[in-house]
Amino acid sequence: MTTMIDLPPGAPVPPGDHAALRVEDLSLSYIVRGIARPVLRGVTFEIKPGESYGLVGESGCGKSTTAYAAVRYLARNARITGGRIFIDGSDMTTMSEDRLREFRMRHASMVYQDPGAALNPTTKVGPQVIEAFAVLGESRPVAEAHALEALERVQIADPRRVMQRYPHQLSGGMQQRIVIAMALASDPKLLVLDEPTTGLDATVEASVLDLVRSLQGETNAAILLIAHNLGVIRSVCDRVGVMYAGKIVEEGDAAAVFDKPQHPYTLALLRSLPRHGIRKSQRALATIPGSLPPVGATLPACVFVDRCPLATEICRTIDPPPVDLGDGRTSKCHHIDRLPELTEAPARAGAEHAEQGGAALELSGLSKTFHQGGHSVPALVGIDLTIHDGETLGLVGESGSGKSTLARTILGIERPDAGGGLELDSHQLAGRSTDRPTEDKRSIQMVFQNPESALNRGWTARRILARSVRKLTGLRGKAIDKRVDELAANLRLSQQHLDLKPRQLSGGLKQRLAIARAFAGDPRIVVADEPTSALDVSVQAAILNVLSDLQVENKTSYLLISHDLGVVRYLADRIAVMYLGRIMEVGDSEVVFRGPNHPYTEALLSAIPKVDGEPGARIRLGGEIPSPANPPSGCVFHTRCHRFMKGICEVTEPPLIEVEPGHQMRCHIPVEELRRLQAEARRSDEVLTTPPEALEAAEATAENDPA
Amino acid sequence: MVRYLLRRLLLGLITLWLLATIVFAITNILPTDVGRTILGPFAPPETVAALNEKLGTNRPLPVRYVESMIGLVTLNFGDSFVSGSPVLPQVLGAVGRSAKLAGLALLITIPLSIAAGLYAARRRDRLADRAIVLAGVTLSSIPEFVTGTILVVVVGVQLDLLPVLATAPEKADLVTQIRYLLLPAVAMAIVYFGYIARMTRAGAIEVLQSDYIRTATMKGLTTSQTMRRHVLRNALVPTVAVIAVQIGYLFGGIIAVEKIFNYNGMGATMLYAAQRKDLPMLTAGVIVIGLVYMLATLAADLIIAWMNPRIRLETER
Amino acid sequence: MEPTSILAPGPGGQPAELPAADLSASRAQRSSARRERLTVLVKRPAFLVGAAVMIFWIVCAILGERITPYDPYNGFSLGRQPPSLEHLFGTDRIGRDVLSRVMVGSRDVLIVAPLAALLGVLLGTSLGLVMGFYRGIVDDVLSRIVEAFLALPVILVALLTLVVLGSSSIVVVFVVGILFAPIVARTVRSAVLSERQLDYVEAARLRGESGLYILSREIFPNVLGPTIVELTVRFGYAIFTVATLSFLGVGLQPPSPDWGLSVSQEYTNMISGIWWPTFFPALAIASTVIAINLIADSLQSVLSE
């Protein structure tokens, strides 16, 4: 990638045996009502200058706590109970407050998950960036000059103007660049990145990760990256540590760990991911039996023993020492030699997905316009889409693309504009769910993203299910109980679970309960909006298995919304790609993943950081996602398109046409031409970006923006 | 900002109209017979009828309502039942004198309570914080007249440090005037200390936990730099709103304080009007103080919009 | 709350059964959740102090004359005697024992104030539920009215209304209750607003529940916590307000030994050094309001944990 940075490349690695960060046998507890609850149980690792190290693991494993402990920014109730932390040879655990401040100022920096919150909302960006330099003792003009340079360095095109803005006036990607610029002000020895791209759109995430990679080469800072997304870790990190219950169980070269895990937990974690383009018809995802230990639980010698299929008596009595596997690879397991016993789940027999059935739901010319303060905001524009019997239609696209609005309109939460067709089994549905007969309500149900929010916390699981059964099926008395039991059995919820309230259930059980509720009335169509994005990877696998089992049994159709293309690829039979309220491409899942694609789909696919490390064309979209209130002229994607054709794309909007049987696309470029261009792009190393004339067109549009 | 101001003013006017309507309802619909209410149960019916005739309270309700609304617009709140002269100048004079007392109370309480709130937030859950929170709860729950009584007994009578009557002699200089007002002002300040300190503390704690304070800490700013540049402005937004609301309540509590300290302000005027059943005077008092409350909240909204660019810029659209 | 268990059966796995021990643990957990909260509450010194003071005053209110050292209504001693062993709190201007009067003085306010608070919370909660749930024009209109009520100076409007309707305990209850309702409504409204953003409300609509059902059966139980806290807080303010009104002479009427009224009748003598008939009732008011606020504060922090 050619960067626009004109600073000299980073200084050579300084001599000496100092690791940039060395954590030695770190133990840490949170004090909850006077009781110490251990979260870190002896974490040891080190990062050399210029090296990037990733920590992975499921929620509660202690990866974030480790990161914050590294710069000694701890919660008020956290106590370091043992071990030491060295940054560049200085022990952080014993430092005085004053030295700690000095140290953070000069040697350690941090970037966090939500860049919007990391900037002071009531101060302009300029002073905040300048402050990062002024605190180092620079005079005001020098600090200002450095601030400008720093913003240029993180590829902000017009730093002077950006400095005059308040944080909320900038996009998430821009905010994160600013936070990164401030973090690099002191040329730190250690840069901690805590989920730096979580919550950003895929295309924005890709460019922020590019930036991190390119800065890494220049600064010689050691990078500690925390991310739940293994693809992000693989695409950035040299080395990786896998954490479980406050311990690093396996460590080594990132590619090696992900390709050939040497610890039962790592192996199970990776197998629970939908990887290598695997689909539901081929194989069920592997799950990890048992549950993550709660924070502060008392654990036996090996922390993973309760869920490990290889565990023997020794695992309960002797803490497994790190086994050196060469090349900096270690694994804390007594039974590494027995790992080959863990075989993958057998391929599914005879579950090849059913022949495409008739149309269950048909959308024709469906539009939805919101009205806000005198402006019309078209959220959906002329959607033509069919969901067939028993199939899963995956819906992908970035924020503002209208995915959720489309789901809400189908459900009748939003009333579509007049004139559009919304037909279930060939009869028109009323716009609002309140106007639909029970039969229609029963037929279309929803699984929400966050089960915490979707389940009434005051109700027991049984009451939640029983009420839905009563309302949707018209059953009464004993018949309700029977149906509730049936649903619970289908979702593998025990009778005991039914007596609990949601907060007493784990995240996975809550989502099962929510799914059971959606199936109460034996629906024709279930809309699932990011059904697993609030869950840990190992729990996600179980939910995806359940969803695909239910579909086979009940012939239900799914509309699946997800930003995780691995999940979509696993579950979806067909995929629709949305951008600014329009369908840009629809086709069979395999066809869409294979290509040729609409340029937007192509960019989206290339933006996803892949845990398998597969190479692919690198496309980096410029500009920002336009506001739906003021969509660009012509093809709405032309302002960011890397295959922009001046004179056509910004003038006329291409229609959604069938380019191959069952494959529709909305692009001026003929499909054969796309096929050729995309094959070419995959072969070359070149990074494709949005051409300047497209960005100019975007600027012109932005200036007309009424906002 | 101009649009925001206009919108805010329009809403304020609607509120004022509703407020006047509520007050009209209390004084004209609740009593079946205004004359009887004023004269009491033992007055002969002819006298009552004559009074109703004189006051115009025997006319139909809609007529009286329209009249009172016209009065509101033309700033004519009618004449006092007791003195016969227009009530508004008397009420405004009284509000002016009370404003001195209230102003002094605010002057004492705002800086102290904000400082205490910020300090408590920084020392969260330590002894100083718990002490401030407990003092806040305790002090803000005691009625002003109780605090006033205790102050009079302890400071005024037992220690004999300050005058126990609030009215300074004629032509007293500013210092003497303040000396006289000090005890009642403190009685009021104590009540508001608790509210403002707790709100400031809550605001500051929320800010101190925010990511941008973490950013500031990681930049290596000192605690005082962080407080000054990043905490203060953000933490005080809810405090400003609370202070505005308190200004309205201040004028409610002031009635009792003026009674204890025998000060001739709003409280004395209203109590006198209440004893004489001088409804126009009471009505004007309620509306004027309602207006003061609304102006205070308006000012607070503008200050908040100025402090928080997000509100300011969004309303500019 | 820790998750009880998580089941992640492999493909085609049997419905997993919880071990029996786990089950009893989870049942116990449920009932213990409430008990645990109570334990935490009872462990708070602030709550204990508040509760002890309130119990003392409630006992005084119930038993009244039966436990007072003297007749609170009739004075047989000399007037204006300073506190002594015989009269611990001294005697008032007509020779009544101040201690006896203070002990009985809790009775009226402890009837009037809770009723006023209850009325305010009932009205305010209904209003707040409707405003928060229906939003749109209903909320806009009601919000304006609530805003207008909030602009009313409570003491002054109470004064005006009591002048118009005449002073009686019933009127005090209604006036204070109605003036408190908008304040409660605002609190409940914001609780309902954050509640209705949750997806379970959407889920209820999708299965065809009526607005009334969602409001009363799904949302209301979940905003009960803040409502109970509001009730305690309003109780404190009701005492505050009723005492102030009595002090101003429009609340409870003589010969009630009510604290506010006693202060009102005796405070002018403070200057001449006769402080005890004013001071002790004032202290009694302070102790009661502080006690309630301590209870409210503890409740709030326990419920928000």
Side-chain angles (χ1 to χ4, degrees):
Chain A
M1 162 154 190
T2 52
T3 56
M4 289 171 272
I5 295 152
D6 40 27
L7 291 175
V13 180
D17 57 356
H18 286 332
L21 171 69
R22 184 158 76 239
V23 175
E24 282 180 4
D25 201 24
L26 182 69
S27 308
L28 188 147
S29 294
Y30 288 121
I31 314 293
V32 182
R33 288 194 195 129
I35 301 160
R37 301 189 184 266
V39 255
L40 301 184
R41 306 161 201 265
V43 174
T44 304
F45 67 100
E46 65 171 54
I47 314 176
K48 295 189 193 69
E51 187 183 49
S52 54
Y53 188 97
L55 278 180
V56 301
E58 295 175 279
S59 59
C61 71
K63 55 187 193 300
S64 281
T65 304
T66 307
Y68 287 99
V71 291
R72 232 180 87 187
Y73 197 100
L74 294 168
R76 290 177 318 127
N77 63 340
R79 303 279 177 279
I80 293 178
T81 51
R84 299 202 291 176
I85 305 159
F86 296 96
I87 295 184
D88 198 28
S90 313
D91 187 350
M92 297 288 285
T93 51
T94 58
M95 235 176 237
S96 72
E97 282 298 319
D98 273 348
R99 272 207 59 208
L100 184 63
R101 188 178 69 78
E102 176 82 14
F103 209 82
R104 285 172 178 158
M105 183 166 92
R106 304 205 177 271
H107 302 303
S109 291
M110 199 155 187
V111 173
Y112 335 97
Q113 174 164 355
D114 180 0
L119 296 165
N120 183 341
T122 60
T123 308
K124 286 181 181 167
V125 167
Q128 300 194 50
V129 181
I130 292 169
E131 184 182 62
F133 290 94
V135 72
L136 300 168
E138 293 181 0
S139 70
R140 172 90 199 175
V142 176
E144 204 171 324
H146 279 151
L148 276 173
E149 264 174 44
L151 292 182
E152 275 168 21
R153 190 176 171 197
V154 293
Q155 296 157 24
I156 285 175
D158 190 353
R160 264 176 217 288
R161 214 179 68 187
V162 166
M163 283 173 86
Q164 292 304 313
R165 294 297 178 98
Y166 286 99
H168 73 267
Q169 295 171 304
L170 303 170
S171 67
M174 196 84 110
Q175 289 168 344
Q176 195 60 296
R177 285 164 195 275
I178 291 162
V179 174
I180 293 173
M182 295 197 302
L184 294 176
S186 58
D187 197 9
K189 298 273 190 310
L190 172 69
L191 176 61
V192 179
L193 304 164
D194 181 19
E195 302 275 3
T197 57
T198 306
L200 298 179
D201 273 316
T203 56
V204 180
E205 171 177 66
S207 64
V208 169
L209 292 178
D210 278 347
L211 175 68
V212 170
R213 273 188 295 265
S214 74
L215 290 171
Q216 195 184 349
E218 297 163 28
T219 63
N220 202 33
I223 290 181
L224 174 58
L225 174 66
I226 311 297
H228 71 281
N229 183 333
L230 303 184
V232 168
I233 298 273
R234 174 146 198 181
S235 73
V236 173
C237 294
D238 305 321
R239 297 203 313 133
V240 62
V242 181
M243 284 191 79
Y244 185 83
K247 272 190 182 170
I248 292 181
V249 294
E250 179 174 4
E251 187 183 47
D253 176 77
V257 170
F258 288 149
D259 290 338
K260 201 167 182 311
Q262 292 294 324
H263 188 280
Y265 174 63
T266 319
L267 186 70
L269 189 68
L270 286 161
R271 281 192 183 159
S272 64
L273 280 176
R275 296 172 72 184
H276 302 297
I278 174 188
R279 297 190 21 75
K280 62 183 172 189
S281 52
Q282 299 163 337
R283 177 179 293 158
L285 294 169
T287 56
I288 308 178
S291 63
L292 290 169
V295 167
T298 319
L299 294 176
C302 171
V303 286
F304 189 57
V305 63
D306 288 336
R307 306 175 71 188
C308 183
L310 299 179
T312 55
E313 202 40 47
I314 187 175
C315 307
R316 296 197 170 274
T317 48
I318 299 170
D319 195 1
V323 179
D324 192 344
L325 303 166
D327 285 337
R329 198 73 196 278
T330 55
S331 170
K332 287 182 186 162
C333 181
H334 290 299
H335 302 299
I336 298 174
D337 51 322
R338 286 175 52 211
L339 277 173
E341 289 174 23
L342 301 175
T343 48
E344 285 213 62
R348 279 184 194 242
E352 187 53 43
H353 102 90
E355 276 303 294
Q356 196 167 328
L361 190 74
E362 259 190 300
L363 284 61
S364 48
L366 193 75
S367 296
K368 170 70 196 173
T369 311
F370 291 105
H371 298 278
Q372 283 173 343
H375 298 292
S376 305
V377 182
L380 297 177
V381 182
I383 302 286
D384 296 316
L385 202 59
T386 304
I387 303 178
H388 299 108
D389 267 338
E391 79 165 356
T392 301
L393 178 68
L395 201 53
V396 298
E398 293 169 286
S399 58
S401 64
K403 315 186 287 289
S404 291
T405 308
L406 179 57
R408 292 168 65 84
T409 309
I410 290 172
L411 287 159
I413 299 169
E414 305 286 353
R415 186 204 302 272
D417 297 350
L422 178 56
E423 289 182 5
L424 174 71
D425 294 330
S426 308
H427 73 276
Q428 177 75 20
L429 285 172
R432 295 284 294 264
S433 77
T434 39
D435 304 330
R436 292 180 186 170
T438 305
E439 176 58 24
D440 288 347
K441 285 180 193 145
R442 172 196 78 75
S443 299
I444 308 183
Q445 282 292 312
M446 171 150 191
V447 175
F448 296 86
Q449 170 172 2
N450 185 352
E452 303 275 333
S453 161
L455 302 170
N456 191 335
R457 63 183 182 284
W459 287 22
T460 61
R462 189 184 300 282
R463 182 169 175 199
I464 289 169
L465 290 184
R467 183 69 196 178
S468 273
V469 169
R470 186 185 178 89
K471 287 298 283 187
L472 294 175
T473 62
L475 296 175
R476 291 293 178 268
K478 284 263 178 280
I480 294 181
D481 298 342
K482 196 164 156 273
R483 176 69 184 147
V484 168
D485 290 346
E486 199 177 296
L487 285 168
N490 282 344
L491 272 296
R492 294 174 198 129
L493 291 163
S494 69
Q495 285 295 316
Q496 294 92 315
H497 291 137
L498 289 179
D499 291 325
L500 301 178
K501 289 187 178 174
R503 67 188 168 85
Q504 293 164 296
L505 299 169
S506 67
L509 286 173
K510 271 186 278 219
Q511 195 60 303
R512 282 166 195 243
L513 176 58
I515 294 169
R517 176 177 64 186
F519 277 88
D522 203 2
R524 297 275 289 122
I525 292 162
V526 169
V527 176
D529 188 353
E530 302 275 6
T532 59
S533 67
L535 305 173
D536 273 312
V537 174
S538 62
V539 182
Q540 163 175 295
I543 294 293
L544 294 179
N545 287 343
V546 158
L547 282 172
S548 86
D549 289 349
L550 282 169
Q551 182 164 47
V552 172
E553 282 160 36
N554 300 293
K555 304 278 175 290
T556 318
S557 307
Y558 291 154
L559 178 64
L560 172 75
I561 299 177
S562 180
H563 69 278
D564 185 332
L565 292 185
V567 168
V568 174
R569 190 167 195 176
Y570 180 75
L571 218 52
D573 302 298
R574 289 194 309 135
I575 290 176
V577 184
M578 288 185 76
Y579 186 79
L580 278 188
R582 289 149 178 90
I583 303 274
M584 304 307 266
E585 180 170 359
V586 198
D588 281 349
S589 178
E590 285 315 300
V591 171
V592 170
F593 275 99
R594 192 188 59 222
N597 299 116
H598 187 281
Y600 176 60
T601 315
E602 187 192 3
L604 208 54
L605 291 174
S606 114
I608 308 294
K610 290 159 195 78
V611 67
D612 301 322
E614 303 150 353
R618 291 180 55 194
I619 297 155
R620 292 298 176 256
L621 297 182
E624 310 261 336
I625 301 172
S627 151
N630 187 28
S633 60
C635 173
V636 288
F637 184 57
H638 85 259
T639 57
R640 302 177 71 208
C641 186
H642 54 288
R643 306 199 185 279
F644 173 69
M645 298 185 298
K646 199 170 167 60
I648 304 170
C649 296
E650 80 278 27
V651 183
T652 36
E653 174 156 27
L656 185 66
I657 47 167
E658 188 154 57
V659 293
E660 303 174 284
H663 188 192
Q664 293 168 293
M665 223 184 274
R666 192 190 285 278
C667 185
H668 286 299
I669 307 173
V671 66
E672 286 315 316
E673 178 72 2
L674 280 174
R675 195 190 301 278
R676 192 184 60 75
L677 287 169
Q678 288 170 11
E680 200 173 279
R682 260 195 290 273
R683 277 194 303 275
S684 87
D685 282 341
E686 201 189 344
V687 175
L688 293 170
T689 52
T690 311
E693 59 266 34
L695 289 172
E696 275 161 33
E699 289 282 312
T701 321
E703 264 154 43
N704 296 329
D705 197 324
Chain B
M1 199 70 183
V2 176
R3 269 190 65 178
Y4 177 67
L5 186 66
L6 286 177
R7 196 185 123 78
R8 195 59 191 69
L9 274 176
L10 181 70
L11 287 180
L13 286 177
I14 295 175
T15 308
L16 189 62
W17 163 67
L18 285 168
L19 180 141
T21 306
I22 296 167
V23 175
F24 174 82
I26 295 173
T27 50
N28 287 272
I29 300 176
L30 282 188
T32 40
D33 185 338
V34 176
R36 174 63 69 195
T37 301
I38 294 170
L39 294 174
F42 307 113
E46 312 83 69
T47 329
V48 173
L51 183 64
N52 274 331
E53 178 66 35
K54 185 175 150 234
L55 300 177
T57 42
N58 54 354
R59 292 171 302 154
L61 266 182
V63 176
R64 281 188 272 158
Y65 180 67
V66 169
E67 203 167 69
S68 88
M69 288 303 124
I70 291 171
L72 183 67
V73 175
T74 56
L75 292 180
N76 173 14
F77 290 85
D79 298 337
S80 163
F81 286 173
V82 180
S83 67
S85 50
V87 291
L88 193 61
Q90 298 178 54
V91 169
L92 289 180
V95 165
R97 288 189 292 279
S98 288
K100 262 197 235 171
L101 181 52
L104 186 61
L106 288 174
L107 221 56
I108 295 169
T109 204
I110 290 176
L112 280 179
S113 52
I114 288 180
L118 290 176
Y119 185 73
R122 269 183 56 187
R123 314 279 307 170
R124 190 176 171 200
D125 288 345
R126 312 250 186 103
L127 194 65
D129 173 38
R130 282 173 197 257
I132 288 170
V133 170
L134 193 67
V137 180
T138 312
L139 296 178
S140 64
S141 41
I142 310 173
E144 295 89 342
F145 79 93
V146 174
T147 331
T149 308
I150 295 170
L151 281 175
V152 166
V153 171
V154 177
V155 183
V157 179
Q158 302 287 338
L159 301 174
D160 198 16
L161 289 176
L162 285 167
V164 294
L165 295 178
T167 318
E170 290 281 315
K171 295 192 190 126
D173 61 6
L174 189 67
V175 176
T176 316
Q177 281 194 34
I178 290 178
R179 228 177 90 77
Y180 273 84
L181 286 177
L182 207 53
L183 217 44
V186 168
M188 289 163 69
I190 282 176
V191 175
Y192 302 107
F193 172 84
Y195 293 114
I196 301 174
R198 289 174 89 186
M199 191 48 85
T200 308
R201 174 183 180 272
I205 283 178
E206 201 185 319
V207 171
L208 284 172
Q209 287 173 337
S210 70
D211 283 4
Y212 58 86
I213 295 307
R214 188 163 58 187
T215 308
T217 310
M218 287 304 297
K219 275 180 187 168
L221 264 57
T222 61
T223 313
S224 69
Q225 282 170 331
T226 307
M227 289 302 272
R228 209 171 52 240
R229 294 188 202 161
H230 298 287
V231 179
L232 211 55
R233 196 187 179 104
N234 292 297
L236 288 187
V237 167
T239 308
V240 170
V242 159
I243 291 174
V245 172
Q246 293 309 327
I247 287 174
Y249 293 139
L250 207 63
F251 276 93
I254 212 164
I255 301 176
V257 171
E258 289 185 5
K259 184 175 173 185
I260 289 254
F261 291 92
N262 200 9
Y263 184 71
N264 181 24
M266 195 62 195
T269 310
M270 289 297 119
L271 277 179
Y272 184 76
Q275 280 152 15
R276 302 298 163 101
K277 303 196 187 286
D278 192 350
L279 294 183
M281 188 71 94
L282 286 168
T283 304
V286 172
I287 291 177
V288 166
I289 289 176
L291 194 63
V292 169
Y293 169 86
M294 278 163 34
L295 288 176
T297 47
L298 175 66
D301 281 353
L302 293 181
I303 293 173
I304 289 169
W306 169 74
M307 287 168 79
N308 187 345
R310 186 145 202 175
I311 299 173
R312 182 177 1 135
L313 296 171
E314 261 165 30
T315 51
E316 255 168 28
R317 290 187 173 184
Chain C
M1 179 64 43
E2 250 77 84
T4 317
S5 162
I6 176 202
L7 302 170
Q14 292 300 306
E17 287 300 320
L18 279 172
D22 255 24
L23 169 66
S24 54
S26 56
R27 276 251 171 81
Q29 251 173 9
R30 181 151 50 111
S31 63
S32 80
R34 217 167 288 145
R35 214 179 313 136
E36 194 187 328
R37 265 189 195 163
L38 204 66
T39 326
V40 174
L41 190 65
V42 169
K43 271 189 192 152
R44 283 175 176 261
F47 176 81
L48 286 181
V49 171
V53 172
M54 279 319 289
I55 289 170
F56 173 75
W57 287 124
I58 291 169
V59 168
C60 283
I62 294 169
L63 297 178
E65 297 88 327
R66 267 164 285 176
I67 56 164
T68 56
Y70 296 92
D71 180 349
Y73 298 103
N74 298 296
F76 300 106
S77 315
L78 277 174
R80 295 173 183 167
Q81 280 183 321
S84 63
L85 276 179
E86 208 173 323
H87 296 280
L88 283 177
F89 287 3
T91 59
D92 69 1
R93 64 191 192 290
I94 46 175
R96 294 175 295 197
D97 180 49
V98 175
L99 174 61
S100 305
R101 284 182 68 76
V102 166
M103 285 171 75
V104 183
S106 63
R107 188 178 287 164
D108 288 344
V109 79
L110 284 186
I111 294 169
V112 172
L115 285 177
L118 200 62
L119 178 69
V121 169
L122 284 179
L123 282 177
T125 305
S126 333
L127 203 59
L129 284 171
V130 169
M131 286 165 71
F133 188 70
Y134 289 98
R135 291 191 296 189
I137 187 100
V138 178
D139 185 28
D140 284 347
V141 170
L142 289 176
S143 283
R144 280 302 105 209
I145 296 174
V146 162
E147 189 65 27
F149 264 96
L150 289 173
L152 291 172
V154 174
I155 299 286
L156 210 48
V157 174
L159 200 61
L160 177 65
T161 317
L162 289 163
V163 164
V164 169
L165 294 179
S167 290
S168 79
S169 299
I170 287 290
V171 178
V172 171
V173 168
F174 273 91
V175 169
V176 174
I178 289 171
L179 287 174
F180 279 0
I183 308 174
V184 179
R186 208 164 49 165
T187 312
V188 174
R189 174 178 176 269
S190 69
V192 173
L193 277 182
S194 60
E195 205 63 34
R196 63 164 291 158
Q197 283 176 351
L198 298 177
D199 290 332
Y200 73 81
V201 175
E202 211 68 86
R205 284 196 188 289
L206 286 178
R207 63 169 186 262
E209 304 288 5
S210 67
L212 192 66
Y213 180 91
I214 298 175
L215 191 55
S216 60
R217 308 294 292 278
E218 300 236 24
I219 293 181
F220 176 65
N222 290 339
V223 299
L224 210 55
T227 309
I228 288 170
V229 171
E230 194 61 27
L231 182 64
T232 13
V233 171
R234 282 305 124 203
F235 181 26
Y237 280 106
I239 292 189
F240 189 120
T241 310
V242 172
T244 303
L245 289 175
S246 298
F247 171 72
L248 295 178
V250 291
L252 299 163
Q253 297 298 314
S256 168
D258 176 71
W259 299 326
L261 190 61
S262 303
V263 174
S264 159
Q265 286 165 336
E266 300 280 353
Y267 81 101
T268 44
N269 297 322
M270 279 192 300
I271 307 169
S272 17
I274 301 160
W275 51 270
W276 52 92
T278 312
F279 186 72
F280 290 111
L283 220 52
I285 296 172
S287 73
T288 316
V289 191
I290 291 171
I292 293 169
N293 274 289
L294 290 178
I295 293 172
D297 223 48
S298 314
L299 262 181
Q300 187 154 28
S301 44
V302 169
L303 282 177
S304 67
E305 244 171 33

